[in-house]
Amino acid sequence: ELDPPASAVAYELTDLGRELDPLLLELGRWGLNFYEADPAEDLEPSWLPNSLRIVLHPPADAAITIQLRSEGKAFCVEVAAGRVTAERGEAVAPDLTMSGPPRAVLATLIVGQQLVPGVEISGDQAAFEALREMVVLPEHLREGAEAAIDAATARTA
């Protein structure tokens, strides 16, 4: 039980439960084949870290610490040893900081920083480019993201 003012019961996975993590990520990746991104649909800030865990496929030698900030929430995302982990809060000495609406942060990783308004990126530009290379998506989602950015750019031009 959590201390007041929370007064709730919190649960934590056991080691056995944590063994399911790679399987759940692969299930999420497989599910992207059936996902149709609706540009009007909002993505919750709390979904952003796990969204990154699903779309990023890092090589074993990659090591990047990312500070995410979205709509008043902060998350630390670690890429190391071929895995992506995430937790709430501030990163210690991040290589890269990305701030903005969740959908825009994801779009920036897909189509590039220059094409997505409303996202601030600071830190190691090489780390950002390395992250972009780690993004693996079904082609229909990549094309949809690019078309949405093209449409938004055309409306503002």
Side-chain angles (χ1 to χ4, degrees):
E1 288 191 35
L2 299 176
D3 292 329
S7 49
V9 176
Y11 295 91
E12 185 176 343
L13 287 174
T14 63
D15 289 340
L16 186 61
R18 279 189 283 279
E19 288 179 17
L20 289 172
D21 188 57
L23 299 170
L24 293 173
L25 288 175
E26 287 305 317
L27 185 60
R29 290 171 180 150
W30 175 80
L32 288 175
N33 291 298
F34 306 100
Y35 183 74
E36 294 296 329
D38 179 355
E41 184 180 45
D42 285 333
L43 181 65
E44 294 292 324
S46 60
W47 299 348
L48 184 55
N50 276 329
S51 297
L52 290 181
R53 293 183 69 222
I54 289 171
V55 302
L56 294 176
H57 294 245
D61 63 344
I64 302 171
T65 300
I66 308 126
Q67 175 68 64
L68 290 177
R69 292 197 176 95
S70 186
E71 299 177 7
K73 302 206 183 299
F75 307 95
C76 174
V77 176
E78 293 276 344
V79 176
R83 297 186 62 221
V84 181
T85 58
E87 59 185 44
R88 290 185 193 122
E90 298 294 321
V92 177
D95 300 300
L96 186 65
T97 298
M98 299 179 69
S99 303
R103 189 174 290 277
V105 170
L106 285 173
T108 298
L109 286 172
I110 297 166
V111 299
Q113 178 178 359
Q114 299 78 8
L115 299 175
V116 183
V119 177
E120 292 180 30
I121 298 174
S122 61
D124 185 352
Q125 189 64 33
F128 174 72
E129 293 304 325
L131 278 179
R132 289 197 62 220
E133 290 178 17
M134 293 177 205
V135 174
V136 176
L137 286 174
E139 196 56 36
H140 77 280
L141 289 178
R142 186 174 294 279
E143 289 170 357
E146 291 169 355
I149 295 302
D150 290 344
T153 303
R155 282 193 301 268
T156 60

